[in-house]
Amino acid sequence: MAAIYSLYIINKSGGLIFYKDYGSSGRMDTNDSLRVASLWHSMHAISQQLSPVAGCLGIELLEADTFDLHCFQSLTGTKFFVVSEPGTPHMDGLLKVIYELYTDYVLKNPFYEMEMPIRCELFDINLTQAIQKDRVALLGR
Amino acid sequence: MIGVGKIKQYTNVLDKPLSKGKQEVSLSAFAFLFSELVQYNQTQVDNIAELERRLEDAGYSVGARVLELLCHRDKGNRRETRLLGILSFVHSTVWKVLFGKVADSLEKGTEHEDEYMISEKELLVNRFISIPKDMGTFNCGAFVAGIVRGVLDSAGFPAVVTAHFVPMEGQQRPRTTILIKFAEEVLQREARLG
């Protein structure tokens, strides 16, 4: 059973620039994933405004009956979020690792255009490895 | 005088010993700079061959300077005059200074007498770079090929140097091969020297 269902990366204006599905059941079509991404972008922004706590940076974790949504926002406004099985641990660590891979293999690639969809072979390869490693670590518990 | 005796004073700047120059620089800083170099050159050209040539030219001036520096610093103002000597100089000394390691392999071409290959499993400049599908066989290693050409040309071994991706069996990523094709005069001279 996969612990991680899917991964999204959205740019600072709410456009989906990367989407990957890891779940075995129910693939989402492109339009739906775009919709989910921009919906999350808006909810995240609204949560910042509504929060009673000063200096709130937006939702970090959304817990539902059937999934957990962990979100990480970089300083430049790019958001990374994973949808995972409820109660999956170390997701914030995984998001940091994914952010690191993004800065290495996407931002240092001269052929990547900022804010555009990510199509970098090296990013895909290393991401798959990172997720795999995470899965092994979870199974090893 | 205050301070005299603390630091040795050199009356002649030429007597001053050369700095060791072993400092490492940040890989990230280099990667961003190189990425900008490629992006800038991309705006200046309208085809891939031209981009490759511009990167090679940028590398050429690095190579010419590296040869000068290393001959002075590491070889006591001598430079290699024989073909194999200069090739192993590039493969080990130059590579070590530029990339912190010796190149993975140096081979002689099987089909042609005048061809040599330096191969790297993962070239430092290509570490973070994914080539888009529509750019075909373009390789940013052209910059490194330029460095090699700069070194060889300045040492009196004119050659045509190109960078290629070579797929490896059982490996996800292709390796980069720097192909060196020497000019005819170089081989004639080698033959004469015996």
Side-chain angles (χ1 to χ4, degrees), chain A residues 19-36:
Chain A
Y19 168 65
K20 195 135 197 175
D21 217 324
Y22 296 100
S24 42
S25 58
R27 276 197 61 87
M28 215 186 305
D29 74 35
T30 320
N31 279 331
D32 284 342
S33 57
L34 284 167
R35 209 167 290 136
V36 167

Side-chain angles (χ1 to χ4, degrees), chain B residues 13-68:
Chain B
V13 71
L14 295 173
D15 293 338
K16 248 169 90 175
L18 212 61
S19 78
K20 271 272 155 270
K22 283 280 178 214
Q23 301 96 332
E24 289 183 3
V25 297
S26 154
L27 177 59
S28 287
F30 171 77
F32 280 123
L33 182 65
F34 186 70
S35 166
E36 283 305 316
L37 176 80
V38 176
Q39 281 178 58
Y40 169 73
N41 280 310
Q42 234 181 332
T43 63
Q44 305 294 307
V45 301
D46 36 37
N47 61 59
I48 289 165
E50 181 80 356
L51 176 62
E52 216 154 31
R53 197 189 59 74
R54 284 189 71 114
L55 279 180
E56 205 188 306
D57 284 352
Y60 184 90
S61 15
V62 175
R65 286 164 170 80
V66 160
L67 175 77
E68 195 95 49

